[in-house]
Amino acid sequence: MSKDGFSDKVKSAVSKGKGELKDQVGNATDNKQMQREGKTDKTKGNIQDAVGDFKNKINKDK
C-alpha cells in the first residue's frame, strides 16, 4: 500500500465508475446479480475513498 492517498482515490473512482455501470446495466436488463455486483463495487469505492482521505490526513499532519 502506498503512503499517500492518491492511489486509493484513483482506485476509488474506478471502482465507483465500474459499480455504477454494472448497477445501471443490471437495472436495464433486470439482472439482479449484476446490480448486486455494482452496488458492491460502489461500496468498495467508498471505502477506498475513505482510506485515501485518511492517508492524506495522516501525511498532512506529519
Side-chain angles (χ1 to χ4, degrees):
M1 270 193 343
S2 68
K3 289 185 179 181
D4 68 24
F6 180 74
S7 64
D8 291 298
K9 299 293 251 178
V10 171
K11 289 180 204 174
S12 166
V14 171
S15 291
K16 287 179 185 178
K18 184 172 84 169
E20 183 62 29
L21 183 62
K22 282 183 179 181
D23 192 14
Q24 292 300 321
V25 170
N27 191 35
T29 60
D30 198 32
N31 184 333
K32 301 296 182 194
Q33 177 63 31
M34 188 172 281
Q35 284 180 293
R36 279 192 296 275
E37 288 175 13
K39 290 180 190 326
T40 300
D41 286 343
K42 287 193 278 187
T43 300
K44 178 181 173 185
N46 289 332
I47 292 168
Q48 287 169 324
D49 197 27
V51 168
D53 287 341
F54 178 75
K55 285 182 181 178
N56 285 336
K57 179 156 178 37
I58 294 298
N59 288 329
K60 184 177 161 185
D61 291 343
K62 285 185 179 180

